Amino acid sequence: MLGAKHRDQQPPPQLASDRAETMQGRVNRLFKKEPHAVDTVQRGRGAAGEPEPDAGHTHTHTPLSEVTDRTLDAKPKDIEPIDYENVLLQKKAQILSDPLREMLLFPNEDFQIKILKRHGRTLCSTVPENARREAQSLLVTECIKTYNSDWYLIHYRYEDYSGDFRKLPNKTPRPEKLPVHVFEVDEDVDKDEDTASLGSQKGGITKQGWLHKGNMNSAISVTMRSFKRRFFHLTQLGDGSYILNFYKDEKISKEPKGSIFLDSCMGVVQNNKIRRYAFELKMQDKSSYLLAADSDLEMEEWIGSLNKILQSTFEAAMQEKRNGDSLEISDDELTCQGKTEHVTSWESMHYELTKSTREIEAKKNEGRLKLFMLDADSQKLDFSSVEPDVKPFEEKFGMRFLVKCNDLFFNLQSCVAENEEGPTTNVEPFFVTLALFDIKDNRKISADFHVDLNHPSVRCMLSNSTTTMNGGEGLSSSQKSINGIPENLLQYPKQGIFSVSCPHQDIFLVARVEKVLQGGITQCAEPYMKSSDSAKVAQKVLKNAKQMCSRLGQYRMPFAWAARPIFKDTQGTLDKNARFSTLYRQDSNKLSNEDLLKLLLDFRKPEKMSKLPVILGNLDITIDNVTPDFPSCVNSSYIPVKHFENSSKVLVTHEVEEFFPCIAKLSQPFTIYNNHLYVYPTYLKYDSQKSFAKARNIAVCLEFRDSDEEESQPLRCIYGRPGGPVFTKWAFSVVLHHHHNPEFYDEVKVELPTQLHEKHHLLFTFYHVSCDNSSKGTTKKKETIESQVGYAWLPILKDGRVVTNENQISVSANLPVGYLSYLELGMGKHTGPEIKWVDGAKHIFKVATHLVSTVYTQDQHLNNFFQYCQKCDSGAQASGSELVKFLKSLHAMEGHVMINFLPTILNQLFRVLARASHEEVAVNVTRVLVHIVSQCHEGLEQYLRSYIKFVFKTEPWNSSKCKTVHEELAKSMTVLLKTTADFLTCNKLLKYSWFFLEALIKSMAQHLIETSKLKLFRNQRFPASYQHTVETLVNLLIPHITQKYKDKPEEARNANHSLAVFIKRCFSLMDRGFVFKQINNYIKWFSPGNPKTLFELKFEFLRVICNHEHFIPLNLPMPFGKGRVQRYQDLQLDFTLSDDFCKNHFLVGLLVREVGSALQEYRDVRQMAISVLKSLMIKHTFDDRYTAKSQQARIATLYLPLFGLLLDNVQRINVKDCSPFPINQSSNGRKEDALLGFQTGTTTTTPQRSGNTLDNSIHRDVFGVISGTASPHGSSTPSINAVRHADSRGSLISTDSGTSLPERSAEKSNSLDKNHGSCVVRCDKLEQLEIRSLLMCFLHVLKSMSDDALITYWNKAATPEMMDFFTILEVCLHQFRYMGKRYIARY
């Protein structure tokens, strides 16, 4: 710590005698009048806190806005940057010979293309092996490319260094424990705290009560009205001194309104001139405090207590002085000792002193922390500049939970084996189907999950009918495999993983229970609803079940249902304690999903649920949370997920597909291949048909076919039920007994082919099933058990899109060849074969379909756009106006579709942009891009960032076929920014400009790498036309930023930041001199006196630019001069912001110049400017590429003009009469600037050099002796007494010396040249935080710069600069000195 003495170092003798005054010096508060101040209140040294009343004087303050307007009405001089590339060529030999040439040159291969392998959740690709070969549609082809392609990104080798210092790699963390140092100021603290805690253990004096407080000094006359009633509390501090705090009320636990330190008090006397019962506290600085009690007794008690304190303090001070005198050595004794010793010459003394000093410094530097390591700002967590973490696209799920099916138990139990040997089980097979229903959204939100919980002995009852049921195949399929998994492992699932994106309490897990068709639901359920004589009933039911299983085993009938809630709240907390409700009998008239949702609405109403018929049984199904690495799991397409254990005993868990709502904010880009169609036969109205004699027990058989020819066969693409093969050729619906108009609730899952065509269709065959269970019925043939009673078909494609939602179709009595070609023409005419329609070709069959596909879309506009693009790619003549029409239609694309197919859509749009032959096409492509980007920013911005970083890739450049994306996109952006009529698109472009500018950068980088242009000179990499386009784009963006910051603040801020990032990245790609010009063009739009928002925009821009990873090489820290190649040792250092410095070291010169200009503004602007500068210097300190001392010294040369900047503002920095601890300020900068106690004058003048305590006549040779560069002999060398301070502590607490030192205008002629324009400078003081930050930067430069550079500075500086330089050092001692534990505890 600066200013603190280590206990091993003995203090100077003169300081030991002044220890009694130390406390006074720490608490003094003295503010003298500034020049041009108007009637400023002078406050006493002993007080801290509440301002005294002003009686009889009026305060006038000039508004700060007027000060700002008058202060900087002169704009700084524009300085053109160097031609960076030419300078590198001209000084090539000098740079290569420089030992630190790595600080002057960009590294080779600064960026490169990086391919990251796409890693999905599954063990193998989700895209079928033959999908790429089969795909013909452009949309399908491009989707498959998207899901198969690896991640493609531009990798910048030093990108980790391009952010804030907090994001630097290998940044040395602050040590958890710092070395323990004991300072003499703290030696007695622990002892004092143990023996005297607030005076309670030393018998200290304490007192409290109400007093009236006034003030008495030379500036204010005290009247009766000036007294304020305050509650005073007298207490003893830990160091033994006393303090008198005063409050507004008796709540002394709060912060006091003010304090009077009694160690500065000289006496207490009675004073009844102004008020009765008054007494006066006289302070050492000749100020006084006037207090008054309410009675004579109270006054005497207070005076007595205070006098006792003063007496004890005086005795303690005298005892300390006597102890100090015994240790002092007189001057005479010192002189006698000196005579007997060997007289050493000045030269040898200086040599030995220098040598020992260097040895001591070398030891001290071992393990010493960097200067900024302990700075408070370097430890703050600031997330304002942190860019979002961008990750590749990945499958995302909602709240996932595991459903484990354990058992289904009914009251009828028996042994089903013929020999009656075996376990007791249910007397017939039952089948469970699980699904999620959301009664809030009134829809089903998951696919069906089918479970077979039957005992193996019960399953044997169905063995005779499995061939028909399973699509023509038996169960001997253990040799087959699906995606590497033996098929038998997938046949009997018992565990399923469900996912819910929007969990809430109104989501239910519903179980539907089915059984083998036997008859009516009421009749079949009756035995299960009675509890008496169950054994006899069980045998009867078992006998009947065996007969029906052998005849109708492939047909199912509804039986029962149950439900249970899933979540406790909207956070996704599982309700694990809930159980399934009792089993309710199915109602044949209320089977649909809509009817079930109505029943669930009353689920929590016992009075209504009690009316439903109950079946005696229990369904044991539990739910639990799922870990991300859940083992042995397959997705909804039966593709094994990672951590799959492929063994014969493994229990495979199935993921159940979630049906996402068509809401954009809940959608996500598709990342895997998935192509499922869910088919729902819902209703058949057959009561009016006359084509068939019997059509009551109707079953629907569904097939998926690709032809209507005579010998065509159904495709094996339907997902099978438990116990059968994984994929079957057909699926049957449930059967309702004796219903002419049956309802169905079945869900059939179909795996669609990769490429659909016009012949693909769903074929429905209707069967009448005979349920007669008489003795004759057992001998009937299969043909008499089921008979065909109609056909219906539904083509999959309509207008190139998959048919979805509910469809009403006709039923035919026959199925002729070529039935798909039948077309009704009207007037009784048709084309195609003759078809016998049932019920006059009325639409009597309802079927619904739901598409869950990542390669087909239901959006007409998107589908039409890709179809037209495919038409153009196939060789058809592309019409610009026609393409524009399809592009404009994309604005009507549904939001969720846009998100789902986002990567594929953006890829196609950029492809069209690069191939555009008309400007109108390119502009409309950009308009669509703006629309898509704006839609995705509604909480989905991360998808755009993932696309740009990992997916975006332009086609290989071919000058004859297409242009580059960056050229066309930049041109289109300029057109949109110029278009004043379409202001909505323009504003969106500004708001989301980051997307387009990053696309430009990635396209440029890819173009340079793929065309091998990285080896060319920077000015040859891009054509002049493109540079002109970029310059036009930048010049169009800037006025939008500077003019829309009020009306469109978000758009202006986003565009400003995006432009800064774009320009920063251009340093790695383009001519760096050209990029400098763009920065210069930007800065020209700003001027002093701008509103605060414009300053924020400017310094945010500079912050981003200066954080470039190669900021040091961009500033060329090397000598610039004429003639032969110079050595660094011969460098003519710039200590001021000269034109040459700002030109040669453009970025750092621009930043320091802008900081200097900002110091003349109000507080908020000053702080943001200082913050940018300080953060940049902290970054240099922690950058592990520049750890060597020589490297840090070279960097310091770039910041030497900071000396001149601080010297120009020395009168504003020289604040040594305030606490070194920062004070929290309010957020209103203008108000605070006007109300700060020490800023008494707001009028601006030409800056005057502040003085300091050094004598005016000191010659620069003195500093030569100090630095070791000049001989101490000479006639001009003053005596030591001439430069010794009378009181070093007094100098540290002196007030502003701006009025104590005459202006040295006569001595300025030989000072360092300065170039700050003609503006006048503010003279008000800077705030503590600002001063400390500037001084930290100053000390860092001073510490890092080489000895030669410092000596050069001292030799070039005139005496006034030297005085101010050491004044700043003295302020550093005050600002950063260690005050001791007592002071810290006090403040």
Side-chain angles (χ1 to χ4, degrees):
M1 289 290 185
L2 293 174
K5 302 183 185 66
H6 196 278
R7 64 177 302 174
D8 297 334
Q9 298 176 344
Q10 294 297 325
Q14 67 271 19
L15 294 182
S17 62
D18 295 334
R19 185 173 301 172
E21 300 179 7
T22 302
M23 184 62 67
Q24 173 190 353
R26 288 203 300 265
V27 300
N28 281 351
R29 302 291 185 270
L30 179 61
F31 295 93
K32 291 185 177 180
K33 291 185 179 181
E34 300 262 358
H36 309 287
V38 181
D39 295 334
T40 306
V41 178
Q42 183 177 1
R43 298 166 59 186
R45 269 187 200 173
E50 184 179 26
E52 300 299 331
D54 181 11
H57 292 266
T58 303
H59 295 265
T60 59
H61 294 280
T62 305
L64 191 58
S65 59
E66 297 181 16
V67 175
T68 305
D69 294 340
R70 295 199 306 262
T71 300
L72 282 174
D73 51 5
K75 190 175 181 179
K77 178 181 178 181
D78 292 332
I79 298 177
E80 293 298 325
I82 59 173
D83 187 343
Y84 191 93
E85 310 303 334
N86 285 337
V87 168
L88 292 184
L89 290 176
Q90 295 169 4
K91 296 183 175 293
K92 181 177 180 180
Q94 177 184 349
I95 292 174
L96 294 178
S97 62
D98 195 311
L100 298 179
R101 55 183 170 272
E102 71 277 1
M103 298 181 67
L104 305 175
L105 298 172
F106 273 46
N108 295 326
E109 298 181 358
D110 190 28
F111 61 93
Q112 58 187 359
I113 294 176
K114 192 173 183 179
I115 307 296
L116 296 181
K117 186 69 176 178
R118 177 188 285 260
H119 295 290
R121 289 192 318 122
T122 55
L123 292 177
C124 57
S125 174
T126 57
V127 180
E129 295 181 0
N130 57 348
R132 188 70 178 270
R133 183 176 63 256
E134 294 178 357
Q136 299 175 5
S137 166
L138 177 62
L139 177 60
V140 175
T141 303
E142 292 302 320
C143 287
I144 291 175
K145 285 182 183 178
T146 301
Y147 309 143
N148 271 339
S149 61
D150 293 326
W151 306 123
Y152 180 94
L153 64 159
I154 302 298
H155 174 65
Y156 296 89
R157 290 173 56 195
Y158 296 91
E159 188 173 13
D160 292 342
Y161 297 90
S162 65
D164 188 74
F165 67 88
R166 298 173 182 86
K167 299 197 301 180
L168 283 173
N170 306 319
K171 181 177 178 289
T172 305
R174 176 178 177 174
E176 295 181 2
K177 293 184 179 181
L178 299 175
V180 179
H181 298 283
V182 180
F183 300 92
E184 88 176 344
V185 71
D186 291 331
E187 285 183 333
D188 298 330
V189 170
D190 296 334
K191 180 177 67 176
D192 291 345
E193 289 179 352
D194 294 339
T195 59
S197 175
L198 296 177
S200 61
Q201 299 181 19
K202 288 180 62 177
I205 301 172
T206 60
K207 185 174 178 56
Q208 59 185 18
W210 288 96
L211 292 173
H212 298 272
K213 182 180 73 68
N215 189 56
M216 179 178 288
N217 52 43
S218 59
I220 300 175
S221 61
V222 180
T223 64
M224 286 291 292
R225 292 185 178 181
S226 67
F227 280 86
K228 292 183 179 180
R229 183 175 171 83
R230 294 289 182 258
F231 188 82
F232 280 77
H233 181 219
L234 176 63
T235 185
Q236 188 177 16
L237 297 175
D239 60 357
S241 62
Y242 283 85
I243 186 172
L244 186 59
N245 295 322
F246 49 92
Y247 307 83
K248 277 191 173 182
D249 50 35
E250 298 182 7
K251 298 179 181 180
I252 61 176
S253 60
K254 298 182 178 179
E255 287 292 325
K257 296 294 295 181
S259 304
I260 301 175
F261 297 99
L262 297 182
D263 55 357
S264 300
C265 183
M266 304 298 295
V268 183
V269 296
Q270 187 174 349
N271 187 343
N272 293 326
K273 296 180 180 180
I274 300 175
R275 188 184 180 101
R276 294 178 62 187
Y277 316 128
F279 55 94
E280 186 178 357
L281 279 67
K282 294 185 177 294
M283 312 305 289
Q284 290 180 357
D285 59 357
K286 297 182 181 181
S287 63
S288 61
Y289 287 92
L290 192 60
L291 307 177
D294 292 332
S295 64
D296 186 66
L297 179 60
E298 291 183 4
M299 179 190 69
E300 292 179 356
E301 289 178 354
W302 278 104
I303 293 176
S305 298
L306 293 172
N307 281 327
K308 287 181 182 179
I309 291 172
L310 296 179
Q311 180 65 26
S312 61
T313 303
F314 176 75
E315 293 176 354
M318 293 301 295
Q319 181 63 37
E320 186 177 2
K321 187 176 185 305
R322 286 192 291 270
N323 295 339
D325 291 343
S326 64
L327 298 175
E328 292 182 356
I329 303 176
S330 65
D331 292 340
D332 294 337
E333 292 174 337
L334 185 61
T335 303
C336 294
Q337 292 177 8
K339 291 180 180 179
T340 59
E341 293 178 357
H342 174 69
V343 179
T344 307
S345 65
W346 275 94
E347 289 82 358
S348 60
M349 272 183 62
H350 175 68
Y351 174 78
E352 294 295 333
L353 180 61
T354 304
K355 180 180 178 181
S356 60
T357 301
R358 289 176 178 173
E359 292 175 354
I360 293 173
E361 287 299 320
K363 293 181 179 179
K364 285 184 178 180
N365 288 332
E366 293 179 2
R368 174 173 288 183
L369 297 176
K370 295 178 180 178
L371 184 62
F372 283 116
M373 183 66 73
L374 301 178
D375 183 76
D377 290 341
S378 66
Q379 305 302 323
K380 289 180 181 178
L381 295 177
D382 182 12
F383 300 101
S384 59
S385 61
V386 176
E387 296 293 335
D389 187 19
V390 183
K391 295 181 179 180
F393 291 116
E394 59 183 2
E395 280 188 89
K396 292 183 180 179
F397 300 93
M399 176 61 198
R400 282 160 53 95
F401 59 92
L402 175 69
V403 175
K404 187 175 182 180
C405 304
N406 302 314
D407 191 18
L408 175 61
F409 178 86
F410 288 99
N411 64 326
L412 295 182
Q413 296 282 302
S414 180
C415 178
V416 299
E418 295 292 340
N419 55 6
E420 297 186 357
E421 293 182 0
T424 300
T425 62
N426 293 328
V427 295
E428 59 181 321
F430 294 94
F431 311 94
V432 179
T433 301
L434 299 173
L436 293 177
F437 286 80
D438 186 340
I439 63 175
K440 181 183 292 186
D441 289 345
N442 196 40
R443 68 185 187 92
K444 184 183 179 187
I445 62 173
S446 79
D448 285 344
F449 178 50
H450 302 284
V451 182
D452 184 350
L453 297 177
N454 296 303
H455 190 272
S457 60
V458 178
R459 291 172 184 165
C460 293
M461 297 171 65
L462 297 169
S463 58
N464 294 332
S465 60
T466 53
T467 301
T468 303
M469 180 181 65
N470 295 323
E473 289 191 1
L475 297 177
S476 58
S477 56
S478 59
Q479 300 302 320
K480 295 183 180 181
S481 64
I482 304 296
N483 297 313
I485 305 174
E487 192 170 5
N488 62 337
L489 295 180
L490 302 172
Q491 286 180 337
Y492 292 100
K494 288 189 176 181
Q495 293 186 161
I497 295 178
F498 288 78
S499 176
V500 178
S501 297
C502 299
H504 55 83
Q505 299 95 321
D506 292 331
I507 293 178
F508 289 86
L509 179 64
V510 176
R512 283 182 166 124
V513 182
E514 301 171 0
K515 58 180 289 187
V516 175
L517 176 62
Q518 296 179 13
I521 298 176
T522 304
Q523 174 190 351
C524 296
E526 183 178 357
Y528 291 92
M529 301 173 67
K530 300 178 180 179
S531 59
S532 60
D533 204 11
S534 60
K536 185 177 180 180
V537 174
Q539 290 299 321
K540 183 179 179 181
V541 173
L542 174 61
K543 180 180 178 181
N544 184 58
K546 287 184 177 180
Q547 293 178 0
M548 300 306 293
C549 286
S550 61
R551 292 184 63 247
L552 307 174
Q554 73 270 29
Y555 297 108
R556 306 281 184 262
M557 63 174 287
F559 182 65
W561 70 275
R564 58 156 292 171
I566 298 297
F567 300 108
K568 293 181 178 180
D569 50 39
T570 58
Q571 305 301 319
T573 305
L574 290 177
D575 189 0
K576 298 181 182 180
N577 297 325
R579 293 290 180 265
F580 266 97
S581 64
T582 54
L583 291 165
Y584 299 104
R585 189 189 69 194
Q586 284 277 19
D587 187 343
S588 59
N589 295 319
K590 296 180 180 179
L591 292 179
S592 67
N593 290 338
E594 290 75 14
D595 293 325
L596 182 59
L597 286 166
K598 293 178 182 179
L599 292 173
L600 291 176
L601 285 173
D602 299 330
F603 188 79
R604 293 189 174 96
K605 300 176 181 179
E607 68 278 5
K608 292 191 176 182
M609 298 302 293
S610 61
K611 297 179 181 180
L612 299 179
V614 176
I615 293 177
L616 302 180
N618 180 55
L619 180 60
D620 182 13
I621 296 179
T622 59
I623 64 174
D624 201 355
N625 298 99
V626 179
T627 59
D629 55 348
F630 194 83
S632 303
C633 185
V634 295
N635 70 359
S636 60
S637 299
Y638 293 159
I639 300 176
V641 180
K642 291 178 180 177
H643 310 289
F644 188 89
E645 300 175 7
N646 200 345
S647 64
S648 59
K649 297 182 180 180
V650 69
L651 178 61
V652 178
T653 302
H654 292 236
E655 290 182 349
V656 183
E657 201 144 48
E658 178 183 4
F659 295 156
F660 293 95
C662 298
I663 302 175
K665 67 179 181 178
L666 298 179
S667 303
Q668 57 178 311
F670 293 142
T671 58
I672 64 170
Y673 179 94
N674 193 15
N675 202 19
H676 294 153
L677 181 69
Y678 292 88
V679 185
Y680 303 91
T682 58
Y683 179 71
L684 177 65
K685 190 178 186 306
Y686 242 37
D687 56 350
S688 301
Q689 66 86 21
K690 305 297 182 181
S691 302
F692 306 99
K694 287 185 177 182
R696 294 181 297 177
N697 311 325
I698 300 176
V700 181
C701 177
L702 184 149
E703 300 173 346
F704 186 86
R705 298 198 175 200
D706 60 355
S707 175
D708 58 355
E709 301 298 328
E710 184 175 3
E711 297 181 356
S712 64
Q713 294 294 321
L715 302 181
R716 189 176 298 280
C717 60
I718 297 176
Y719 284 77
R721 299 292 180 94
V726 173
F727 290 100
T728 66
K729 294 182 179 180
W730 52 70
F732 286 91
S733 68
V734 295
V735 179
L736 288 181
H737 186 256
H738 282 199
H739 272 248
H740 294 286
N741 301 326
E743 284 186 329
F744 310 99
Y745 59 77
D746 301 88
E747 176 184 274
V748 180
K749 183 179 178 182
V750 180
E751 179 75 28
L752 291 177
T754 299
Q755 183 60 54
L756 295 174
H757 53 72
E758 299 298 329
K759 290 289 186 178
H760 280 119
H761 65 281
L762 294 171
L763 177 63
F764 303 92
T765 305
F766 303 100
Y767 291 97
H768 166 77
V769 181
S770 174
C771 297
D772 187 4
N773 197 19
S774 63
S775 58
K776 293 182 180 180
T778 57
T779 61
K780 288 184 179 181
K781 297 182 180 179
K782 179 177 181 297
E783 289 76 11
T784 59
I785 293 176
E786 57 187 26
S787 56
Q788 294 175 350
V789 292
Y791 302 91
W793 54 89
L794 179 67
I796 291 296
L797 293 180
K798 183 178 181 181
D799 298 329
R801 293 179 293 144
V802 178
V803 174
T804 57
N805 299 323
E806 187 174 82
N807 300 271
Q808 297 186 16
I809 54 180
S810 304
V811 178
S812 70
N814 65 332
L815 190 69
V817 176
Y819 51 88
L820 290 177
S821 61
Y822 180 89
L823 180 62
E824 190 72 37
L825 300 178
M827 303 297 291
K829 298 181 180 181
H830 69 273
T831 59
E834 291 291 334
I835 296 178
K836 298 179 181 180
W837 296 107
V838 176
D839 199 7
K842 293 181 180 179
H843 295 165
I844 58 177
F845 179 54
K846 292 182 181 180
V847 58
T849 56
H850 177 65
L851 180 67
V852 180
S853 175
T854 61
V855 293
Y856 286 97
T857 179
Q858 295 304 299
D859 189 90
Q860 177 184 355
H861 309 289
L862 180 62
N863 191 72
N864 293 343
F865 170 70
F866 271 90
Q867 284 183 345
Y868 186 80
C869 290
Q870 184 172 8
K871 178 182 176 181
C872 297
D873 292 343
S874 61
Q877 184 65 32
S879 170
S881 59
E882 192 75 9
L883 181 55
V884 168
K885 182 184 72 172
F886 286 109
L887 285 169
K888 289 182 177 179
S889 70
L890 290 179
H891 290 269
M893 182 170 38
E894 293 182 272
H896 70 280
V897 175
M898 183 189 306
I899 302 299
N900 292 151
F901 293 94
L902 182 66
T904 305
I905 295 173
L906 293 178
N907 285 341
Q908 184 63 25
L909 287 173
F910 280 117
R911 190 176 298 111
V912 172
L913 178 66
R915 298 177 179 179
S917 56
H918 302 86
E919 182 183 282
E920 187 181 8
V921 173
V923 171
N924 276 278
V925 169
T926 309
R927 289 181 190 272
V928 176
L929 288 171
V930 171
H931 171 70
I932 293 176
V933 170
S934 65
Q935 293 295 311
C936 291
H937 270 79
E938 302 298 327
L940 305 173
E941 180 184 350
Q942 70 274 16
Y943 297 144
L944 293 173
R945 296 191 179 276
S946 297
Y947 171 80
I948 285 293
K949 184 171 182 178
F950 295 100
V951 179
F952 173 65
K953 179 183 179 182
T954 61
E955 289 185 320
W957 182 68
N958 188 331
S959 58
S960 61
K961 291 185 178 181
C962 61
K963 303 175 183 178
T964 60
V965 169
H966 52 270
E967 289 177 338
E968 295 303 308
L969 182 58
K971 291 178 183 177
S972 302
M973 291 175 67
T974 58
V975 173
L976 291 179
L977 290 173
K978 289 178 182 178
T979 307
T980 57
D982 193 1
F983 63 93
L984 292 178
T985 302
C986 181
N987 290 336
K988 289 180 181 179
L989 180 58
L990 292 174
K991 189 174 182 179
Y992 312 119
S993 53
W994 70 266
F995 177 85
F996 302 93
L997 294 177
E998 288 196 15
L1000 289 178
I1001 289 296
K1002 190 170 184 180
S1003 176
M1004 291 163 61
Q1006 177 185 337
H1007 176 71
L1008 291 178
I1009 294 174
E1010 293 184 348
T1011 57
S1012 302
K1013 290 186 176 181
L1014 281 178
K1015 298 179 181 179
L1016 300 178
F1017 293 114
R1018 291 289 190 106
N1019 51 16
Q1020 298 176 1
R1021 290 181 175 181
F1022 296 98
S1025 60
Y1026 180 65
Q1027 290 197 2
H1028 175 72
T1029 303
V1030 170
E1031 187 170 15
T1032 304
L1033 177 61
V1034 172
N1035 290 335
L1036 283 173
L1037 280 171
I1038 297 172
H1040 280 287
I1041 294 170
T1042 57
Q1043 296 173 13
K1044 292 185 176 181
Y1045 71 94
K1046 285 185 178 180
D1047 298 333
K1048 300 291 180 181
E1050 185 178 5
E1051 286 80 352
R1053 289 184 183 276
N1054 290 356
N1056 183 73
H1057 180 80
S1058 303
L1059 178 61
V1061 174
F1062 171 75
I1063 291 179
K1064 181 178 77 169
R1065 191 49 65 200
C1066 283
F1067 277 125
S1068 302
L1069 307 173
M1070 304 182 72
D1071 184 334
R1072 286 159 286 196
F1074 168 78
V1075 182
F1076 282 153
K1077 291 180 181 178
Q1078 307 316 307
I1079 298 174
N1080 213 28
N1081 292 340
Y1082 175 90
I1083 294 298
K1084 289 178 181 178
W1085 280 84
F1086 297 85
S1087 60
N1090 280 147
K1092 175 185 173 183
T1093 305
L1094 288 181
F1095 278 105
E1096 291 176 348
L1097 295 174
K1098 178 173 67 174
F1099 281 106
E1100 169 66 11
F1101 180 89
L1102 290 175
R1103 181 190 66 80
V1104 174
I1105 294 294
C1106 293
N1107 276 332
H1108 192 279
E1109 59 265 37
H1110 304 311
F1111 177 81
I1112 300 301
L1114 284 172
N1115 285 284
L1116 293 176
M1118 57 182 287
F1120 281 85
K1122 300 178 181 179
R1124 299 176 57 188
V1125 174
Q1126 298 178 338
R1127 298 178 303 163
Y1128 181 74
Q1129 292 79 356
D1130 300 330
L1131 174 61
Q1132 298 297 316
L1133 299 174
D1134 282 305
F1135 295 93
T1136 58
L1137 288 173
S1138 63
D1139 289 354
D1140 287 340
F1141 180 90
C1142 293
K1143 179 179 180 180
N1144 297 330
H1145 315 288
F1146 178 69
L1147 288 182
V1148 70
L1150 176 63
L1151 177 60
V1152 176
R1153 189 170 58 148
E1154 291 298 328
V1155 171
S1157 177
L1159 289 181
Q1160 314 309 318
E1161 302 290 341
Y1162 43 89
R1163 187 188 69 184
D1164 289 345
V1165 175
R1166 299 196 304 262
Q1167 289 183 351
M1168 69 178 72
I1170 295 172
S1171 175
V1172 173
L1173 176 64
K1174 183 179 178 181
S1175 297
L1176 183 59
M1177 298 184 73
I1178 294 176
K1179 182 179 179 180
H1180 298 329
T1181 302
F1182 294 142
D1183 194 328
D1184 59 1
R1185 297 174 296 174
Y1186 308 122
T1187 56
K1189 186 176 180 180
S1190 59
Q1191 292 173 320
Q1192 286 294 320
R1194 182 70 67 92
I1195 295 174
T1197 61
L1198 296 175
Y1199 294 94
L1200 291 180
L1202 188 61
F1203 285 8
L1205 178 66
L1206 295 182
L1207 295 181
D1208 287 344
N1209 292 274
V1210 67
Q1211 79 285 354
R1212 306 176 67 193
I1213 296 174
N1214 189 12
V1215 179
K1216 296 175 290 186
D1217 54 346
C1218 296
S1219 167
F1221 293 96
I1223 302 172
N1224 291 331
Q1225 304 290 345
S1226 68
S1227 60
N1228 191 332
R1230 293 180 178 267
K1231 181 178 178 181
E1232 290 297 325
D1233 280 350
L1235 295 180
L1236 280 176
F1238 54 83
Q1239 293 180 1
T1240 58
T1242 56
T1243 305
T1244 57
T1245 63
T1246 302
Q1248 297 191 5
R1249 294 294 181 186
S1250 66
N1252 49 59
T1253 55
L1254 294 177
D1255 194 334
N1256 226 2
S1257 61
I1258 300 180
H1259 194 271
R1260 68 176 58 197
D1261 290 342
V1262 175
F1263 302 107
V1265 174
I1266 295 174
S1267 63
T1269 59
S1271 172
H1273 299 293
S1275 58
S1276 63
T1277 304
S1279 65
I1280 299 300
N1281 291 331
V1283 297
R1284 179 182 296 171
H1285 290 305
D1287 185 354
S1288 63
R1289 297 195 183 199
S1291 68
L1292 288 177
I1293 61 170
S1294 63
T1295 59
D1296 175 38
S1297 53
T1299 58
S1300 63
L1301 189 68
E1303 184 180 2
R1304 304 185 183 96
S1305 57
E1307 301 178 68
K1308 302 273 185 172
S1309 58
N1310 294 327
S1311 63
L1312 296 170
D1313 295 333
K1314 293 176 173 55
N1315 179 18
H1316 297 292
S1318 59
C1319 62
V1320 291
V1321 184
R1322 291 167 63 125
C1323 291
D1324 54 340
K1325 300 294 184 182
L1326 298 179
E1327 292 189 3
Q1328 289 292 100
L1329 290 175
E1330 300 166 3
I1331 294 172
R1332 291 170 68 88
S1333 295
L1334 287 173
L1335 293 180
M1336 284 292 290
C1337 297
F1338 169 78
L1339 291 174
H1340 172 71
V1341 176
L1342 188 62
K1343 175 180 177 293
S1344 302
M1345 64 190 299
S1346 64
D1347 295 341
D1348 293 337
L1350 182 59
I1351 294 169
T1352 301
Y1353 172 71
W1354 282 345
N1355 287 332
K1356 294 177 67 175
T1359 301
E1361 277 87 3
M1362 293 300 296
M1363 299 299 104
D1364 292 340
F1365 178 83
F1366 282 97
T1367 297
I1368 293 176
L1369 284 180
E1370 188 181 21
V1371 175
C1372 292
L1373 290 174
H1374 171 79
Q1375 289 288 340
F1376 301 110
R1377 63 175 173 169
Y1378 178 63
M1379 304 294 291
K1381 294 180 180 179
R1382 292 171 178 166
Y1383 191 88
I1384 295 173
R1386 181 178 300 177
Y1387 290 97

